[in-house]
């Protein structure tokens, strides 16, 4: 039987392996770092935009720039929400929130070689980079100039991968989250929801504190 393909016609990314809670925590930690890095990228691009006609733009151009800024701010809020949701899942499976991230620029050896994060002023290069990072799975698209991989990430030790969580070769944001989703389902199938979702719901971020209606406590596979 031929392998299924997404609507863009490209082959889907290979599935990620999640056989333990530690491997799931590792991937969720990477998701938190990625969302944190992305929102910093978008914020940097936003604050690089011109603010007045004194900076060499016409009133008409300034109005267009302000519209761009509104869109970028909306994206920043989405990335903040994604970070909060990933953190809730971490808490739900009994891990601690993860707000650490590598220092910028993140150009090699931390994530898979084709996933790189750097602060770029708003412009064609930044937009190309954002499109590349947020592209659908399997889509053939080149990153912006200056983001060529320098080397591949390497584990910090030579431990048996069956004993410790290690790097996974994910290639897009969607690929990473698909791995997390399938990993959750796999662990629930093996241990049951009560054995996976062991963290206290009251320790999670919800709409009682934040404005997002989508921000709910994770207590089972459906809410995750």
């Amino acid at each position: 039987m031929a392998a299924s393909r997404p609507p863009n016609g490209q082959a889907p990314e290979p599935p990620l392996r999640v056989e333990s809670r530690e491997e799931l925590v590792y991937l969720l930690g990477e998701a938190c770092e990625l969302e944190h890095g992305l929102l910093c990228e978008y914020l940097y691009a936003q604050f690089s935009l011109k603010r007045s006609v004194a900076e060499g733009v016409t009133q008409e151009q300034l109005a267009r720039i302000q519209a761009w800024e509104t869109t970028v701010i909306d994206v920043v809020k989405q990335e903040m929400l994604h970070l909060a949701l990933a953190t809730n899942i971490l808490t739900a499976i009994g891990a601690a929130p993860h707000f650490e991230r590598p220092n910028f620029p993140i150009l090699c050896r931390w994530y898979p070689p084709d996933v790189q994060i750097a602060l770029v002023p708003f412009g064609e290069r930044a937009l190309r980079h954002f499109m590349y990072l947020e592209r659908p799975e399997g889509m053939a698209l080149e990153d912006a100039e200056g983001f060529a991989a320098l080397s591949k990430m390497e584990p910090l030790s030579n431990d048996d991968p069956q004993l410790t969580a290690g790097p996974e070769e994910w290639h897009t944001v969607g690929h990473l989250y698909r791995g997390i989703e399938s990993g959750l389902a796999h662990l629930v199938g093996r241990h049951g929801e009560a054995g996976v979702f062991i963290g206290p719901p009251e320790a999670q971020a919800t709409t009682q504190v934040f404005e997002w209606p989508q921000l709910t406590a994770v207590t089972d596979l459906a809410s995750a």
Side-chain angles (χ1 to χ4, degrees):
M1 180 180 295
S4 61
R5 290 178 178 270
N8 57 35
Q10 299 291 327
E13 305 289 358
L16 303 182
R17 187 195 73 170
V18 179
E19 295 293 337
S20 67
R21 185 188 306 274
E22 287 72 21
E23 288 175 330
L24 183 59
V25 169
Y26 188 96
L27 289 180
L28 282 164
E30 287 196 306
C32 290
E33 291 178 8
L34 184 63
E35 299 293 0
H36 194 169
L38 285 173
L39 75 87
C40 288
E41 280 194 318
Y42 285 119
L43 280 171
Y44 186 88
Q46 176 210 340
F47 283 106
S48 72
L49 290 167
K50 295 182 177 181
R51 303 286 169 181
S52 71
V53 293
E55 296 182 79
V57 295
T58 66
Q59 195 64 47
E60 181 181 358
Q61 290 171 330
L62 183 61
R64 187 171 300 175
I65 291 171
Q66 290 170 340
W68 294 342
E69 182 174 27
T70 298
T71 300
V72 174
I73 290 173
D74 288 341
V75 175
V76 169
K77 291 179 179 179
Q78 291 175 15
E79 300 301 339
M80 291 179 178
L81 173 60
H82 297 163
L83 173 57
L85 291 170
T87 300
N88 274 2
I89 299 175
L90 263 179
T91 305
I93 64 173
H98 186 88
F99 294 111
E100 296 86 359
R101 60 163 178 77
N103 290 328
F104 295 112
I106 310 167
L107 297 180
C108 67
R109 299 192 66 179
W110 199 272
Y111 303 129
D114 50 354
V115 179
Q116 303 184 30
I117 309 292
L119 303 179
V120 181
F122 187 90
E124 184 176 351
R125 181 168 177 255
L127 293 176
R128 177 79 178 190
H129 179 57
F130 297 153
M131 290 172 58
Y132 174 79
L133 291 175
E134 305 276 12
R135 72 193 187 282
E137 283 191 70
M139 175 176 285
L141 185 68
E142 295 294 326
D143 203 347
E145 183 180 356
F147 284 93
L150 301 179
S151 63
K152 295 189 66 175
M153 64 178 182
E154 299 175 358
L156 297 178
S157 70
N158 293 320
D159 291 345
D160 185 341
Q162 299 299 320
L163 298 178
T164 59
E168 289 272 7
E169 284 285 341
W170 48 273
H171 300 282
T172 66
V173 177
H175 187 199
L176 174 59
Y177 278 112
R178 181 164 61 88
I180 291 170
E181 181 181 18
S182 63
L184 276 169
H186 177 68
L187 293 181
V188 166
R190 177 188 293 175
H191 304 290
E193 290 185 329
V196 174
F197 298 99
I198 60 175
E202 61 272 15
Q204 299 178 38
T206 65
T207 53
Q208 293 179 335
V209 180
F210 300 97
E211 65 180 61
W212 294 294
Q214 307 96 318
L215 196 55
T216 58
V218 175
T219 57
D220 52 24
L221 191 58
S223 55

